[in-house]
Amino acid sequence: MRLHHHIGLIIIICSLGGVGLSFGLGGAWEETGVGYAQLSMNSATLNNVARLRKSTTQWHAEVEEMASTGDYARLEGLQHRTLDLRRHIWTLRGQELAAEYDSQLEHIYSVIARADSLMRSTIRMGEDKGSEYLVKRQTDLRSESFALVQAIGTFEEFLQASAQRDENELHRRTIWIQQFSLMALLGYAVVVVVLWSWTVVSLIRPIRALIDAARGSMERGEPFELEARGPKEVVTLTRSISTLVSGLQASQESMERSIEERTSELVRANRAKSEFLANVSHEIRTPLTAILGYAELAVESTESEETRRDYLNTIHSNSHHLLEIINDILDLSKIEAGRVTAELVRFSPQQTVGDVAHLMAVRAKEKNLSFSAEYVGPIPATIQSDPTRLRQILINLLGNAIKFTRTGGVKLVVRMHEGIGDAPSQLAFEVIDTGIGLTDAKHSEIFEPFSQADASTTRRFGGTGLGLAISKSLAELLGGDISVTGNHDRGSSFKLSIDTGPLDDIEMHDDLGVLQLDDINSSLQAAIHKASLEGRVLLAEDGDDNRRLISTILTQCGLEVHIATNGREAVDLVTAAWHGPDSYDVILMDMQMPEVDGYAATSQLREAGYRGPIIALTAHAMIGSRSECLEAGCDDFATKPLDRKVLLGLVEEWISVKDDWKES
């Protein structure tokens, strides 16, 4: 039987039984109620008849007394009493009584009517004749009076007997209805119990067995084995749940395997992170040891000037190495937090490649390696990307190539890749070395944070294992990617690609050729000279050591330097010299100072109408720091620790345009 047939049958049986029982018992109790109402009415009638009998008895006594004495004067009052009795009997006749009651009341009414007629006739005769007539008819009057008393007494007895009979019948009927109701309820209860037992056996028990089997399978891993029985829907449900539980068990097993694999990955990641922390500790402590040690030697040493200069060069080299490590750690934290953004500007890729080549040529020469930068095919004069991030990636790739190469050389190849269809054009950079190379298994692992080719690589060459992970993330940020090819002990080739942005109306250079290491060294020597600058510079810096350092660098280049120790002093000095002949050509503004910081001081000057160049100096190198400074009104941005060449380059650049803004 189908489930809805099963449930429908139960509902129909229970409904019909309940309706039939309700109608049967309701009708019986309704009839009993009518009987009790009639009994109550008969009781009220008896009370009325008893009062009528009492009044009639009094009336009969008065009639007897009047007839005995012949007192005609009492006849009229007695006639009024007779009229009252007639009204009383008429009222009884107006009630809803049985037919036999009505006939007796009719008889009583006729008797009282005759007595009333006799009294009226006597009253109409007058006192003289009436008295004589009353004496003649006193027997009739007494007879009618006595007959009335007898009739009412008989009627009262009849009513009492009838009421008693009705009460006995009603009591018997009530007992029968109670017994019938009890038996009907018991029968209905038996039917409900039978139907419920049927439901339990055919529906609830299979469902409960289904629940127990599913629970045992899910909680204790028991196989789901249950015979499908019961209504068709329950059978279908059992089979569906069996399929579902089997699927869940398979999913649970798969999830457990995934958890085990993920746990293993987390263990490996934790181990890699621990190794990374150990490497970072080593990498930080190593240059710090050199910095502190050689600083103490330089302070206390009585060696020659040349020896002390070597100490200072060692301190300078290790300071740069320490700065690179800190920058890598900060960059990784920003990348993992999703806070790295690209500042897309148009710039010359040849200039960026040349700057990086000049920088990396020194490292290559120290290891007696050849180094070249080669341009293949036409290269756009400018592209739209982030030059800072591109420089960072190239320095990392070339630095790794030089670090892991013992003999031979390193080559940087730059070429264009034209986009196919809707794909954008990309500028490709390939770093080729003759170093230790990589196994195929390590080609993807080296781009994971905290990873190097193996632990021995860290011990032999140093490093935190963050550079390639950072570089790959930055390459993706610039719309490109980094890939690697190569074999173990046969060198490696790292390929970097970035989007160029729109190249419409951009000039293409196709005669750039190859830049050899000797050319780079010549250019490097030509660039190493002490710059000679002229101009007035306001340095707003609250740190004594930094203030003295920057002031010395600027003064050695021929610049006239004025000092402000906070933003308030800077605003006052600029305001005082603004429109005079001694106005400042460049303002170097530290952004974190007491009283009034650099942001507020710059904003105040711009609001006052000052248009001179303001270069922000800040130790905040986080993403967004540059834009915050520019939004405050600064024209350029330099981060601490300051690179001497970068600082002097910025100052020289802005002094060169002083005539433009001063004339305007």
Side-chain angles (χ1 to χ4, degrees), residues 278-553:
N279 293 339
V280 166
S281 175
H282 174 268
E283 290 296 317
I284 291 177
R285 290 176 181 275
T286 298
L288 273 178
T289 301
I291 292 170
L292 294 175
Y294 279 103
E296 291 177 357
L297 290 176
V299 171
E300 300 175 358
S301 176
T302 58
E303 301 290 340
S304 64
E305 183 67 24
E306 182 179 357
T307 302
R308 296 184 60 165
R309 187 180 297 276
D310 288 339
Y311 294 165
L312 295 176
N313 287 334
T314 302
I315 293 173
H316 182 265
S317 174
N318 281 276
S319 298
H320 276 284
H321 179 56
L322 181 60
L323 179 60
E324 290 175 0
I325 295 173
I326 294 174
N327 285 337
D328 281 349
I329 296 173
L330 292 177
D331 283 341
L332 180 66
S333 67
K334 289 183 286 186
I335 290 172
E336 291 186 342
R339 295 167 53 193
V340 175
T341 58
E343 296 186 16
L344 302 180
V345 297
R346 189 157 288 280
F347 67 97
S348 168
Q350 297 95 305
Q351 180 65 44
T352 302
V353 170
D355 292 343
V356 173
H358 280 76
L359 178 64
M360 304 311 296
V362 178
R363 299 188 188 180
K365 185 177 181 181
E366 289 175 353
K367 296 186 66 174
N368 295 318
L369 301 175
S370 64
F371 182 87
S372 64
E374 178 182 350
Y375 298 93
V376 178
I379 303 297
T382 62
I383 63 173
Q384 186 171 348
S385 188
D386 189 329
T388 302
R389 297 304 180 189
L390 175 59
R391 173 187 172 90
Q392 182 178 354
I393 298 171
L394 291 176
I395 288 176
N396 181 267
L397 295 179
L398 290 170
N400 283 345
I402 293 172
K403 178 167 63 174
F404 296 118
T405 301
R406 293 181 176 178
T407 60
V410 175
K411 180 168 65 173
L412 172 62
V413 180
V414 185
R415 60 170 59 89
M416 272 294 296
H417 285 167
E418 296 294 338
I420 300 176
D422 296 333
S425 299
Q426 290 193 324
L427 190 61
F429 305 83
E430 185 175 7
V431 177
I432 306 170
D433 65 62
T434 57
I436 62 175
L438 291 167
T439 62
D440 293 340
K442 299 297 181 180
H443 284 178
S444 60
E445 293 182 7
I446 59 174
F447 293 107
E448 296 296 327
F450 320 122
S451 297
Q452 289 191 337
D454 55 52
S456 62
T457 302
T458 303
R459 291 193 297 269
R460 290 165 57 196
F461 298 98
T464 60
L466 297 177
L468 287 177
I470 294 172
S471 296
K472 186 174 180 63
S473 297
L474 295 178
E476 294 172 352
L477 183 67
L478 300 182
D481 198 4
I482 297 179
S483 61
V484 60
T485 58
N487 297 312
H488 185 58
D489 291 331
R490 295 184 181 180
S492 302
S493 173
F494 285 83
K495 297 178 181 180
L496 162 68
S497 61
I498 63 170
D499 287 344
T500 62
L503 296 178
D504 299 337
D505 301 326
I506 300 298
E507 182 182 0
M508 303 296 288
H509 296 165
D510 55 2
D511 55 353
L512 298 176
V514 178
L515 184 62
Q516 299 294 337
L517 182 60
D518 293 338
D519 299 332
I520 296 174
N521 288 336
S522 299
S523 301
L524 194 61
Q525 292 298 326
I528 300 176
H529 67 280
K530 184 173 292 187
S532 178
L533 302 174
E534 293 183 1
R536 288 167 53 86
V537 177
L538 175 62
L539 173 61
E541 168 66 58
D542 63 316
D544 293 338
D545 294 335
N546 287 335
R547 188 167 61 243
R548 185 171 56 190
L549 171 64
I550 299 171
S551 178
T552 301
I553 293 174

Side-chain angles (χ1 to χ4, degrees), residues 58-286:
Q58 293 177 352
W59 177 80
H60 174 66
E62 292 179 2
V63 169
E64 286 289 336
E65 184 177 356
M66 182 189 69
S68 301
T69 59
D71 187 359
Y72 178 82
R74 299 178 61 183
L75 183 59
E76 188 172 355
L78 191 59
Q79 192 272 331
H80 287 297
R81 293 283 301 280
T82 304
L83 184 60
D84 291 338
L85 289 177
R86 290 185 65 183
R87 292 195 189 97
H88 199 165
I89 294 172
W90 186 261
T91 301
L92 287 176
R93 292 186 64 190
Q95 297 180 357
E96 294 181 1
L97 300 175
E100 60 270 22
Y101 297 167
D102 191 60
S103 61
Q104 293 189 34
L105 286 174
E106 181 67 26
H107 172 66
I108 294 172
Y109 185 78
S110 62
V111 174
I112 194 68
R114 289 196 300 271
D116 180 57
S117 177
L118 180 60
M119 290 182 184
R120 288 177 181 273
S121 299
T122 304
I123 291 172
R124 284 196 296 270
M125 291 180 182
E127 183 176 353
D128 294 336
K129 293 182 179 181
S131 299
E132 294 177 3
Y133 184 75
L134 182 59
V135 172
K136 292 178 182 180
R137 299 297 301 272
Q138 61 178 337
T139 302
D140 295 336
L141 185 58
R142 286 178 176 176
S143 175
E144 295 295 342
S145 173
F146 181 75
L148 179 60
V149 172
Q150 289 293 324
I152 291 177
T154 302
F155 180 61
E156 183 179 13
E157 291 175 358
F158 179 78
L159 279 178
Q160 289 176 345
S162 178
Q164 186 63 42
R165 185 175 60 256
D166 291 344
E167 184 177 359
N168 293 337
E169 177 64 21
L170 185 61
H171 180 68
R172 184 190 63 77
R173 190 177 187 84
T174 301
I175 293 175
W176 179 86
I177 290 175
Q178 290 176 345
Q179 293 175 346
F180 173 77
S181 299
L182 180 61
M183 295 301 296
L185 289 174
L186 288 176
Y188 186 72
V190 170
V191 172
V192 171
V193 169
V194 171
L195 291 176
W196 174 250
S197 301
W198 182 32
T199 303
V200 169
V201 172
S202 60
L203 181 61
I204 295 180
R205 284 183 182 175
I207 293 178
R208 183 174 295 279
L210 176 62
I211 294 173
D212 293 339
R215 181 178 298 168
S217 178
M218 295 303 298
E219 293 180 356
R220 297 183 293 275
E222 300 172 354
F224 188 88
E225 297 178 354
L226 181 64
E227 180 184 356
R229 53 193 177 88
K232 183 176 180 180
E233 286 81 356
V234 176
V235 172
T236 303
L237 179 62
T238 302
R239 292 171 180 169
S240 300
I241 292 181
S242 176
T243 303
L244 177 62
V245 170
S246 300
L248 289 175
Q249 287 178 331
S251 299
Q252 185 176 4
E253 293 174 358
S254 176
M255 186 179 297
E256 289 175 354
R257 288 194 299 270
S258 299
I259 291 174
E260 291 178 358
E261 294 173 358
R262 182 57 179 163
T263 301
S264 299
E265 292 177 1
L266 292 175
V267 170
R268 289 195 298 270
N270 186 57
R271 186 181 300 113
K273 196 168 186 178
S274 298
E275 294 175 357
F276 159 74
L277 292 175
N279 293 339
V280 166
S281 175
H282 174 268
E283 290 296 317
I284 291 177
R285 290 176 181 275
T286 298

